Amino acid sequence: MAFEPKEWPRKLRSQEWYGGTSRDTIYHRGWLKNQGYPHDLFDGRPVIGIMNTWSDLTPCNGHLRELAEKVKAGVWEAGGFPLEVPVFSASENTFRPTAMMFRNLAALAVEEQMRGQPIDGAVLLVGCDKTTPSLLMGAASTDIPSIVVTGGPMLNGWFRGERVGSGTHLWRFSEAVKAGEFSQEDFLEAEAAMSRSSGTCNTMGTASTMASMAEALGMALSGNAAIPGVDSRRRVMAQLSGRRIVQMVKDDLKPSDVMTKEAFENAIRTNGAIGGSTNAVVHLLALAGRVGVDVTLDDWDRLGRDVATIVNLMPSGKYLMEEFFYAGGLPVVLKRLGEGGQLHKDALTVSGTTIWDEVKDVTNWNEDVILPLEKALTRQGGIAVLKGNLAPKGAVLKPSAATKELMTHKGRAVVFEDIDDYKAKINDDALDIDETCIMVLKNCGPRGYPGMAEVGNMGLPPKILKKGITDMVRISDARMSGTAYGTVVLHTSPEAAAGGPLAVVRDGDTIEIDVPNRKLHLDVSDEEIAERMKSWAPPEHEEAVSGYAWLHQEHVQGADTGADLDFLNGCRGSAVGKDSH
């Protein structure tokens, strides 16, 4: 059904605060006037909240204050009233135990800031990977007109004539140091070359993936995802988005109008085409739950199975986000999906037009970056969902970043009970392990870590690396950075800390992984698994007795449904509360 804009002018929700001459409205207006705003700004025009995740401790978002000024300029130009609102910002590279633990808290905070304040529409100013899903989740729960503006990726890193990808080369250089191929001095010199401009990771990590997901969902203007953070066109995109949100408010174009089942299917297929992060799985599952759209792990497997990975970017490929932008960015990928019958062309976007209208005339300017189908990195690039007695509710693997020869493999389990156990043992030459083994890490899921940290891409033992081996099968209930690579099985559900079968895997057990047939099997009988479970006890942690840590531990769901809080799925509340004055 085509979207029908609402009649304009009409009374907006901000007028519940600012409209009229009552004591309450004078109270609300009067205090805001201390900032020097003229009286006529409160005349019923759209009030736009610029939800800004800037923070000095979120370096990927360190330039968002500058972008906020461009958003404001666009809002003013379109006749709106922009107000900047600082919101909860959790950076993956600084927050402990992991930023993922606080994604749901950030979503809750943004939801209440939008619902409880005189905001008619919102610009979601995001960057570092958790900020994008958290603000989208909050906006979905309020269903107030919203548009995403991402901060954009960093420029290419360069070191000794080689492209250096954020995260990807961090793992690569670290392993090279352990293998004796790279000195610590080399590593420190490379550090200075990794992050040479403002912006998010320059690989197809989770930040760039989620920027692409926002665009594929229709929640950002076409072309937003790939523009580098320091490119002048990033500032233009911010200003155009500021203009657009004003019209969205007038039309009453809401997140629920855009983020439909078809939009999520477009995003899932897009993730396969770009070689996107496995983290997109938990984020889109959670977001779909907020919107009230039925999306499951089975959808990820069904929709991604026949999608070729055509974006030749690290960690799966050769190039970085800067080249992706110059080649034409995500619109080229969406056009290719549409031409192949893998895009719902009529899906609505925040532009007010269909996604196909936005991309049908774009050009691919570099076919070594955005590959033709016959040169795809892998013909089945969508996230693979594996199931079996080791993962009854599923586990995920990224085929484009895995080693083809290991996609079908049987090996002896080498088990680490938690991340501390792994760190204590991995560098010990006495560890009984060879390259045919399967590394198993427990108790790193949503409850177990807590927060489901990015530790699933366990570094290999130095004695293996020194043989020239760079990949082994690794299985855990953790996540891994979108910048990482390898034959890594993640998000195993139910997680070990919740009593999933992963909890009772033992050293020496045989595990079989069969990605083509979507199988993950522990070669132990059901009876033996049940017997082991009788003596299993949840891992001992310092018990959270109050605050958000308690809320998280009591209410977080499994990775197979998005690791959201159990009382929030499908929950959209009233956008206007009662006045307390």
Side-chain angles (χ1 to χ4, degrees):
M1 182 182 295
F3 174 74
E4 293 290 339
K6 275 195 176 179
E7 183 178 337
W8 181 260
R10 67 181 186 281
K11 183 179 178 180
L12 297 174
R13 70 184 296 267
S14 60
Q15 287 298 290
E16 298 288 337
W17 284 262
Y18 297 144
T21 57
S22 70
R23 182 198 66 180
D24 290 342
T25 56
I26 290 172
Y27 171 82
H28 295 306
R29 271 200 316 263
W31 256 259
L32 195 57
K33 284 182 178 179
N34 77 355
Q35 301 300 301
Y37 294 121
H39 183 75
D40 63 352
L41 288 180
F42 302 90
D43 61 3
R45 69 188 67 195
V47 176
I48 306 301
I50 302 170
M51 317 307 285
N52 194 347
T53 56
W54 169 89
S55 168
D56 276 337
L57 283 172
T58 306
C60 294
N61 299 15
H63 60 306
L64 294 189
R65 275 180 164 174
E66 177 186 354
L67 286 186
E69 293 303 314
K70 302 302 289 187
V71 173
K72 288 180 184 179
V75 173
W76 287 123
E77 289 166 351
F81 182 7
L83 296 169
E84 189 175 354
V85 183
V87 298
F88 191 102
S89 183
S91 171
E92 188 61 64
N93 48 50
T94 55
F95 241 92
R96 292 184 178 180
T98 167
M100 179 62 185
M101 181 172 171
F102 302 98
R103 181 201 66 182
N104 300 332
L105 175 61
L108 276 170
V110 169
E111 175 182 346
E112 298 310 328
Q113 284 180 294
M114 291 175 67
R115 177 179 289 121
Q117 299 188 95
I119 292 172
D120 300 311
V123 177
L124 312 179
L125 203 49
V126 296
C128 191
D129 55 359
K130 309 306 175 298
T131 61
T132 305
S134 63
L135 266 64
L136 277 167
M137 289 162 68
S141 291
T142 61
D143 210 26
I144 290 171
S146 302
I147 191 170
V148 172
V149 178
T150 54
M154 290 185 279
L155 297 177
N156 287 3
W158 287 95
F159 179 63
R160 298 178 181 175
E162 177 185 358
R163 286 182 187 82
V164 174
S166 309
T168 302
H169 275 79
L170 178 67
W171 322 128
R172 191 167 292 160
F173 289 156
S174 176
E175 298 290 76
V177 171
K178 289 198 293 184
E181 300 167 356
F182 214 57
S183 70
Q184 192 65 49
E185 290 73 21
D186 291 333
F187 202 2
L188 292 174
E189 185 182 344
E191 179 186 357
M194 290 182 186
S195 304
R196 51 181 285 263
S197 79
S198 297
T200 57
C201 293
N202 55 24
T203 51
M204 189 52 77
T206 307
S208 293
T209 296
M210 291 311 299
S212 299
M213 295 299 92
E215 188 173 331
L217 283 166
M219 288 298 294
L221 292 181
S222 185
N224 169 81
I227 308 170
V230 295
D231 194 298
S232 63
R233 287 163 286 190
R234 172 58 58 188
R235 297 192 291 277
V236 172
M237 177 61 71
Q239 190 160 340
L240 292 176
S241 299
R243 293 179 185 175
R244 179 59 197 156
I245 189 60
V246 175
Q247 188 60 46
M248 287 174 64
V249 170
K250 292 178 179 179
D251 293 342
D252 198 30
L253 178 55
K254 305 180 297 298
S256 60
D257 297 315
V258 175
M259 290 192 287
T260 61
K261 177 74 170 185
E262 290 75 21
F264 279 97
E265 291 189 350
N266 283 345
I268 290 169
R269 288 190 172 114
T270 300
N271 191 72
I274 63 176
S277 169
T278 51
N279 289 316
V281 178
V282 289
H283 295 325
L284 262 62
L285 288 172
L287 179 57
R290 294 296 185 98
V291 183
V293 172
D294 182 24
V295 177
T296 68
L297 273 181
D298 289 338
D299 290 319
W300 275 91
D301 194 65
R302 172 178 59 86
L303 294 164
R305 189 180 284 259
D306 295 321
V307 176
T309 301
I310 58 172
V311 177
N312 189 11
L313 260 61
M314 299 179 198
S316 300
K318 173 181 178 182
Y319 295 104
L320 297 169
M321 287 296 292
E322 191 176 343
E323 284 97 353
F324 184 44
F325 173 60
Y326 301 149
L330 195 71
V332 175
V333 177
L334 295 171
K335 181 181 179 181
R336 292 281 292 277
L337 288 171
E339 290 171 340
Q342 295 179 318
L343 187 78
H344 294 290
K345 295 181 178 180
D346 292 335
L348 182 66
T349 75
V350 290
S351 69
T353 60
T354 69
I355 198 165
W356 186 245
D357 285 338
E358 295 285 345
V359 305
K360 63 184 179 182
D361 297 322
V362 299
T363 300
N364 184 359
W365 299 110
N366 189 334
E367 289 202 342
D368 196 36
V369 176
I370 305 175
L371 302 165
L373 186 61
E374 60 272 15
K375 294 183 179 180
L377 296 180
T378 176
R379 294 302 292 265
Q380 292 190 328
I383 299 296
V385 177
L386 313 180
K387 291 188 177 181
N389 67 347
L390 186 52
K393 293 185 177 180
V396 302
L397 177 141
K398 180 177 173 180
S400 63
T403 300
K404 184 177 180 180
E405 293 75 18
L406 292 175
M407 301 270 267
T408 303
H409 183 74
K410 182 181 286 190
R412 172 173 59 87
V414 176
V415 177
F416 306 99
E417 292 298 324
D418 56 29
I419 192 62
D420 293 325
D421 187 37
Y422 163 78
K423 289 178 178 179
K425 295 176 178 176
I426 195 63
N427 293 322
D428 187 349
D429 283 342
L431 181 65
D432 184 14
I433 190 170
D434 61 43
E435 60 270 26
T436 68
C437 291
I438 293 179
M439 297 169 64
V440 177
L441 176 63
K442 304 178 184 179
N443 296 308
C444 290
R447 292 179 185 273
Y449 195 81
M452 201 180 180
E454 293 184 338
V455 294
N457 56 313
M458 295 169 273
L460 306 190
K463 67 180 182 180
I464 303 295
L465 293 167
K466 288 172 183 176
K467 295 181 181 181
I469 304 296
T470 58
D471 193 15
M472 293 172 60
V473 175
R474 288 156 277 180
I475 299 171
S476 74
D477 46 13
R479 298 179 300 118
M480 77 172 179
S481 168
T483 67
Y485 53 89
T487 311
V488 185
V489 178
L490 303 154
H491 311 182
T492 302
S493 297
E495 63 173 296
L502 184 68
V504 294
V505 177
R506 295 177 179 174
D507 280 324
D509 286 346
T510 298
I511 297 175
E512 181 183 359
I513 175 176
D514 183 351
V515 176
N517 292 305
R518 300 304 196 254
K519 178 182 177 182
L520 185 62
H521 181 72
L522 176 65
D523 193 12
V524 172
S525 69
D526 292 345
E527 293 76 15
E528 173 62 17
I529 292 174
E531 189 63 30
R532 292 182 185 183
M533 287 303 304
K534 290 178 182 178
S535 59
W536 173 81
E540 292 186 7
H541 289 298
E542 183 178 345
E543 186 176 354
V545 296
S546 65
Y548 177 70
W550 175 87
L551 186 71
H552 173 88
Q553 290 302 92
E554 289 293 312
H555 294 283
V556 71
Q557 296 176 302
D560 58 300
T561 57
D564 201 357
L565 302 177
D566 57 18
F567 54 83
L568 290 172
N569 270 348
C571 181
R572 289 210 301 273
S574 171
V576 180
K578 292 181 179 180
D579 200 306
S580 60
H581 297 283

